[in-house]
Amino acid sequence: MPKALTFKGDKKPSKKRKRPDEQGADDATSTSLIRANEPPTEAPEDDTWVSADTFTDLSGPVLLVFHTSSPHALACDQLGAVFASKLENLVEGNPASAEPHDVRQVFVATRVVGSEGDVVFKGCNGRYLGCDKVGVLRVEREAISPEETWTCEASESGVFRLRTNRGRYVGADGEGPKPGVRGDVQSLEGEDLPESTVIRIRMQARFKPKLKVEKAEKVRAKISRKELEDEVGRRLEDDEVKKLKKARKEGNFHEAMLDVKVKGKHDKFA
């Protein structure tokens, strides 16, 4: 590329050097431009713990809490031994606020397809919780048999009982600092099941169907006025914006959008 003519005695053009603060400002501007073009990051998953209310809630990681004097959770070790583990993360000793502090306390619940209340629990060692004929609980089988299938009986108060395939129940054995766990508890003739068989099931909020639906509805209803006006092609009145947002939440957005567009055309030629 030819250069401009220069003559003897002409001043050489000075090369302007950027100051550090100007360089930083340019970098910040370029960074902001890059970030503006990046797709929005998804909201983090909700890892808070809530109580399961019905059998259909059971899915994903769960915490099985016994209603003992000092709340304990069902737990297992890598060798498959089952024991009651004392809970540390709870508010004022309330089992309804319990959260796990040890991975051994967490089981993964999966409902049995086609059943009305059967569920299986996978422990931290990747094997399934089962109960033998004498009531001993173990987490040692990789395949699911009737002994690894539990019937989950829910009550109106939001607690559960776990029944084995032999008609017995899981319960805490004793009220000391280290209660045992058995799978052969049954009611005596003419009496109700003991309180030791009551279990509160805590689960992660993101797996609870009701909360998942509510979250999806909030996302679906979230749309700005500008986005609505861009789609309609004109400025909208306040009542039209409310109508479209409500329709988006209820699932009849396209019908409402068509009505608004048709109304706009009628107003244009009136």
Side-chain angles (χ1 to χ4, degrees):
M1 181 177 178
K3 297 182 179 180
L5 291 173
T6 57
F7 299 93
K8 188 176 180 180
D10 289 349
K11 291 183 179 180
K12 293 183 179 180
S14 60
K15 294 182 179 179
K16 187 176 180 181
R17 306 180 73 179
K18 290 187 177 181
R19 295 179 181 177
D21 55 346
E22 292 178 355
Q23 182 68 29
D26 290 345
D27 293 343
T29 303
S30 61
T31 304
S32 63
L33 289 174
I34 293 172
R35 289 179 179 173
N37 294 327
E38 289 179 354
T41 56
E42 295 183 0
E45 293 287 356
D46 187 359
D47 290 332
T48 57
W49 289 77
V50 296
S51 295
D53 299 318
T54 63
F55 165 73
T56 56
D57 288 343
L58 299 183
S59 178
V62 298
L63 179 70
L64 307 174
V65 184
F66 292 109
H67 280 226
T68 49
S69 54
S70 58
H72 285 66
L74 193 69
C76 72
D77 60 21
Q78 288 295 326
L79 299 178
V82 177
F83 58 97
S85 173
K86 187 175 181 180
L87 287 164
E88 298 178 3
N89 294 343
L90 68 170
V91 179
E92 297 180 353
N94 184 7
S97 65
E99 293 187 8
H101 67 274
D102 188 337
V103 69
R104 296 179 299 175
Q105 299 172 340
V106 179
F107 289 84
V108 177
T110 305
R111 299 192 303 275
V112 177
V113 178
S115 71
E116 296 182 357
D118 292 346
V119 64
V120 295
F121 298 100
K122 182 182 285 188
C124 62
N125 59 358
R127 303 183 182 225
Y128 292 94
L129 174 66
C131 180
D132 64 16
K133 61 184 179 181
V134 296
V136 176
L137 298 175
R138 294 287 295 176
V139 184
E140 58 186 7
R141 290 184 180 174
E142 296 181 351
I144 300 171
S145 72
E147 288 190 349
E148 283 73 45
T149 304
W150 302 86
T151 300
C152 192
E153 299 179 354
S155 68
E156 295 180 357
S157 57
V159 293
F160 298 82
R161 284 185 169 92
L162 295 180
R163 179 163 51 87
T164 69
N165 68 315
R166 295 182 174 86
R168 307 294 175 88
Y169 292 84
V170 175
D173 186 13
E175 283 288 342
K178 291 184 178 181
V181 182
R182 300 189 59 82
D184 61 351
V185 182
Q186 58 182 331
S187 60
L188 299 176
E189 187 175 353
E191 296 183 8
D192 295 331
L193 285 165
E195 190 71 14
S196 61
T197 59
V198 174
I199 296 175
R200 182 171 292 277
I201 301 180
R202 301 279 290 167
M203 61 181 293
Q204 288 189 345
R206 61 191 171 118
F207 290 100
K208 194 168 184 178
K210 181 180 178 182
L211 296 179
K212 287 171 72 175
V213 170
E214 290 177 353
K215 184 177 180 181
E217 287 179 350
K218 288 180 180 178
V219 172
R220 188 166 59 242
K222 193 174 182 180
I223 186 170
S224 68
R225 184 187 192 109
K226 185 178 184 303
E227 289 175 317
L228 292 172
E229 290 178 343
D230 288 344
E231 190 163 348
V232 175
R234 63 177 176 85
R235 292 184 62 83
L236 297 174
E237 302 293 335
D238 291 342
D239 59 332
E240 292 176 325
V241 174
K242 290 179 182 178
K243 178 182 178 181
L244 290 173
K245 286 188 175 183
K246 182 179 179 182
R248 187 178 175 87
K249 185 176 181 180
E250 294 176 350
N252 58 339
F253 176 72
H254 295 291
E255 293 84 348
M257 176 62 71
L258 183 60
D259 292 341
V260 172
K261 286 183 177 180
V262 170
K263 179 179 179 296
K265 289 180 180 179
H266 289 169
D267 292 345
K268 181 178 179 182
F269 296 103

